[in-house]
Coordinates of all heavy atoms in Angstrom, one line a residue:
A107 N -26.1 9.2 9.4 CA -26.1 9.3 7.9 C -27.1 8.4 7.3 O -27.2 7.2 7.7 CB -24.7 9.0 7.3
P108 N -28.0 8.9 6.4 CA -29.0 8.0 5.8 C -28.5 7.0 4.8 O -29.1 5.9 4.6 CB -29.9 9.0 5.1 CG -29.1 10.1 4.8 CD -28.1 10.2 5.9
A109 N -27.3 7.3 4.2 CA -26.8 6.4 3.2 C -25.4 5.9 3.6 O -24.8 6.4 4.5 CB -26.7 7.1 1.9
R110 N -25.0 4.8 3.0 CA -23.6 4.3 3.2 C -22.6 5.3 2.8 O -22.8 6.0 1.8 CB -23.5 3.0 2.4 CG -22.2 2.3 2.8 CD -22.0 1.1 1.8 NE -21.9 1.6 0.5 CZ -20.9 1.4 -0.3 NH1 -19.9 0.5 0.0 NH2 -20.8 1.9 -1.5
L111 N -21.5 5.4 3.5 CA -20.4 6.3 3.2 C -19.2 5.5 2.7 O -19.1 4.3 3.0 CB -20.0 7.0 4.4 CG -21.0 7.9 5.1 CD1 -20.5 8.5 6.4 CD2 -21.5 9.0 4.2
D112 N -18.4 6.1 2.0 CA -17.1 5.6 1.6 C -16.0 6.5 2.2 O -16.1 7.7 2.1 CB -16.9 5.5 0.1 CG -17.7 4.4 -0.6 OD1 -17.9 3.4 0.1 OD2 -18.2 4.6 -1.7
V113 N -15.0 5.9 2.8 CA -13.8 6.7 3.3 C -12.6 6.2 2.4 O -12.4 5.0 2.3 CB -13.6 6.4 4.8 CG1 -12.3 7.0 5.2 CG2 -14.7 6.9 5.6
E114 N -12.0 7.2 1.8 CA -10.9 6.9 0.9 C -9.6 7.6 1.3 O -9.7 8.8 1.4 CB -11.3 7.3 -0.5 CG -10.3 6.9 -1.6 CD -10.8 7.2 -3.0 OE1 -11.8 6.7 -3.4 OE2 -10.2 8.1 -3.6
E115 N -8.5 6.9 1.5 CA -7.2 7.5 1.7 C -6.4 7.4 0.4 O -6.3 6.3 -0.1 CB -6.5 6.8 2.8 CG -5.2 7.5 3.1 CD -4.2 6.6 3.9 OE1 -4.1 5.4 3.6 OE2 -3.7 7.1 4.9
T116 N -5.9 8.5 0.0 CA -5.1 8.5 -1.3 C -3.9 9.3 -1.0 O -4.0 10.4 -0.4 CB -5.9 9.1 -2.4 OG1 -7.1 8.5 -2.5 CG2 -5.2 9.0 -3.7
G117 N -2.7 8.9 -1.5 CA -1.5 9.7 -1.4 C -0.3 8.9 -1.7 O -0.3 7.9 -2.3
Y118 N 0.8 9.4 -1.1 CA 2.1 9.0 -1.4 C 2.8 8.3 -0.2 O 2.5 8.6 0.9 CB 3.0 10.2 -1.9 CG 2.3 10.9 -3.0 CD1 1.5 12.1 -2.7 CD2 2.3 10.5 -4.3 CE1 0.9 12.8 -3.7 CE2 1.6 11.2 -5.3 CZ 0.9 12.3 -5.0 OH 0.3 13.0 -6.0
A119 N 3.7 7.4 -0.5 CA 4.5 6.7 0.5 C 6.0 6.8 0.1 O 6.3 6.8 -1.1 CB 4.1 5.3 0.7
F120 N 6.9 6.9 1.1 CA 8.3 7.0 0.8 C 9.0 6.4 2.0 O 8.5 6.4 3.1 CB 8.7 8.4 0.6 CG 8.2 9.3 1.7 CD1 9.1 9.6 2.7 CD2 7.0 9.9 1.6 CE1 8.6 10.4 3.8 CE2 6.5 10.8 2.6 CZ 7.4 11.0 3.7
G121 N 10.3 5.9 1.8 CA 11.0 5.4 2.9 C 12.1 4.5 2.5 O 12.6 4.6 1.3
L122 N 12.4 3.5 3.3 CA 13.5 2.5 3.1 C 12.9 1.1 3.0 O 12.0 0.8 3.8 CB 14.5 2.6 4.2 CG 15.4 3.8 4.3 CD1 16.3 3.8 5.5 CD2 16.3 3.9 3.0
S123 N 13.5 0.3 2.2 CA 13.1 -1.1 2.0 C 14.4 -2.0 2.2 O 15.5 -1.6 1.6 CB 12.5 -1.3 0.7 OG 12.2 -2.7 0.4
F124 N 14.3 -3.0 3.0 CA 15.5 -3.9 3.2 C 15.1 -5.3 2.9 O 14.0 -5.8 3.4 CB 15.9 -3.8 4.7 CG 17.0 -4.7 5.1 CD1 18.3 -4.5 4.8 CD2 16.7 -5.8 5.9 CE1 19.3 -5.3 5.1 CE2 17.7 -6.7 6.2 CZ 19.0 -6.5 5.9
E125 N 15.9 -6.1 2.2 CA 15.7 -7.5 1.9 C 16.6 -8.4 2.6 O 17.8 -8.1 2.7 CB 15.8 -7.7 0.4 CG 14.6 -7.3 -0.4 CD 14.7 -7.7 -1.9 OE1 15.6 -8.5 -2.2 OE2 13.9 -7.2 -2.6
H126 N 16.1 -9.4 3.2 CA 17.0 -10.4 3.9 C 16.7 -11.8 3.3 O 15.5 -12.3 3.4 CB 16.7 -10.4 5.4 CG 17.6 -11.3 6.1 ND1 18.9 -11.2 6.3 CD2 17.2 -12.5 6.8 CE1 19.4 -12.2 7.0 NE2 18.4 -13.0 7.3
P127 N 17.7 -12.5 2.7 CA 17.4 -13.8 2.1 C 17.2 -14.9 3.2 O 17.7 -14.8 4.3 CB 18.7 -14.1 1.4 CG 19.7 -13.3 2.0 CD 19.1 -12.0 2.5
V128 N 16.3 -15.8 2.9 CA 16.1 -17.0 3.8 C 16.7 -18.2 3.1 O 16.4 -18.4 1.9 CB 14.5 -17.1 4.0 CG1 14.3 -18.3 4.9 CG2 13.9 -15.9 4.6
R129 N 17.4 -19.0 3.9 CA 18.1 -20.2 3.3 C 17.1 -21.3 3.1 O 16.6 -21.8 4.1 CB 19.2 -20.6 4.2 CG 20.3 -19.6 4.4 CD 21.1 -19.4 3.2 NE 22.1 -18.4 3.5 CZ 22.5 -17.5 2.6 NH1 22.0 -17.4 1.4 NH2 23.4 -16.6 2.9
D130 N 16.7 -21.5 1.8 CA 15.7 -22.6 1.5 C 15.9 -22.9 0.1 O 16.4 -22.1 -0.7 CB 14.3 -22.0 1.8 CG 13.3 -23.1 1.6 OD1 13.0 -23.8 2.6 OD2 12.8 -23.2 0.5
K131 N 15.5 -24.1 -0.4 CA 15.6 -24.4 -1.8 C 14.8 -23.5 -2.7 O 15.1 -23.4 -3.9 CB 15.2 -25.9 -2.0 CG 13.8 -26.2 -1.8 CD 13.5 -27.7 -2.1 CE 12.1 -28.0 -1.9 NZ 11.7 -29.4 -2.2
W132 N 13.8 -22.8 -2.2 CA 12.9 -21.9 -3.0 C 13.5 -20.5 -3.1 O 13.0 -19.7 -3.8 CB 11.5 -21.9 -2.5 CG 10.9 -23.2 -2.5 CD1 10.7 -24.0 -1.5 CD2 10.3 -23.9 -3.7 NE1 10.0 -25.2 -1.9 CE2 9.8 -25.1 -3.2 CE3 10.2 -23.5 -5.0 CZ2 9.2 -26.0 -4.1 CZ3 9.6 -24.4 -5.9 CH2 9.1 -25.7 -5.4
N133 N 14.6 -20.2 -2.3 CA 15.2 -18.9 -2.3 C 14.3 -17.8 -1.9 O 14.2 -16.8 -2.6 CB 16.0 -18.6 -3.6 CG 17.1 -19.5 -3.8 OD1 17.8 -19.9 -2.9 ND2 17.3 -19.9 -5.0
P134 N 13.5 -17.9 -0.9 CA 12.6 -16.8 -0.5 C 13.4 -15.7 0.2 O 14.6 -15.9 0.6 CB 11.6 -17.5 0.5 CG 12.4 -18.6 1.1 CD 13.3 -19.1 0.0
F135 N 12.8 -14.6 0.4 CA 13.4 -13.5 1.1 C 12.3 -12.7 1.9 O 11.2 -12.8 1.6 CB 14.1 -12.6 0.1 CG 13.3 -12.0 -1.0 CD1 12.5 -10.8 -0.8 CD2 13.1 -12.6 -2.2 CE1 11.7 -10.3 -1.8 CE2 12.3 -12.1 -3.2 CZ 11.6 -11.0 -3.0
L136 N 12.8 -12.1 2.9 CA 11.9 -11.2 3.7 C 12.2 -9.8 3.3 O 13.3 -9.4 3.1 CB 12.2 -11.3 5.2 CG 11.7 -12.6 5.9 CD1 12.2 -12.7 7.3 CD2 10.2 -12.8 5.8
R137 N 11.1 -9.0 3.0 CA 11.3 -7.6 2.6 C 10.6 -6.8 3.7 O 9.4 -6.9 4.0 CB 10.6 -7.3 1.3 CG 10.7 -5.9 0.8 CD 10.2 -5.7 -0.5 NE 11.0 -6.4 -1.5 CZ 10.5 -6.8 -2.7 NH1 9.2 -6.6 -3.0 NH2 11.3 -7.4 -3.5
F138 N 11.4 -5.9 4.4 CA 11.0 -5.0 5.4 C 10.9 -3.6 4.8 O 11.7 -3.3 4.0 CB 12.0 -5.0 6.6 CG 12.1 -6.3 7.2 CD1 13.2 -7.2 6.8 CD2 11.3 -6.7 8.2 CE1 13.3 -8.4 7.4 CE2 11.4 -8.0 8.9 CZ 12.5 -8.8 8.4
R139 N 9.9 -2.9 5.2 CA 9.6 -1.6 4.7 C 9.1 -0.6 5.8 O 8.3 -1.0 6.6 CB 8.6 -1.7 3.6 CG 8.1 -0.5 2.9 CD 7.2 -0.8 1.8 NE 6.4 0.3 1.4 CZ 5.8 0.5 0.3 NH1 6.0 -0.4 -0.7 NH2 5.1 1.6 0.0
A140 N 9.7 0.6 5.8 CA 9.3 1.6 6.8 C 9.5 3.0 6.2 O 10.4 3.2 5.5 CB 10.1 1.4 8.1
G141 N 8.6 3.9 6.6 CA 8.7 5.2 6.0 C 7.5 6.1 6.4 O 6.7 5.8 7.2
G142 N 7.4 7.1 5.6 CA 6.3 8.1 5.8 C 5.3 8.0 4.7 O 5.5 7.4 3.7
T143 N 4.2 8.7 5.0 CA 3.1 8.8 4.0 C 2.7 10.3 3.9 O 2.9 11.1 4.9 CB 1.9 8.0 4.3 OG1 1.3 8.4 5.6 CG2 2.2 6.5 4.4
Y144 N 2.2 10.7 2.8 CA 1.7 12.1 2.6 C 0.4 11.9 1.9 O 0.3 11.8 0.7 CB 2.7 12.9 1.8 CG 2.3 14.4 1.7 CD1 2.2 15.2 2.8 CD2 1.9 14.9 0.5 CE1 1.9 16.5 2.7 CE2 1.5 16.2 0.4 CZ 1.5 17.0 1.5 OH 1.2 18.4 1.4

Side-chain angles (χ1 to χ4, degrees):
R110 188 186 64 125
L111 301 174
D112 288 328
V113 172
E114 183 176 299
E115 181 197 48
T116 307
Y118 308 96
F120 53 90
L122 291 172
S123 176
F124 175 77
E125 283 187 7
H126 181 69
V128 178
R129 302 285 181 221
D130 186 90
K131 66 178 182 177
W132 299 102
N133 293 322
F135 56 89
L136 290 174
R137 181 176 292 153
F138 300 93
R139 176 174 160 156
T143 62
Y144 186 66

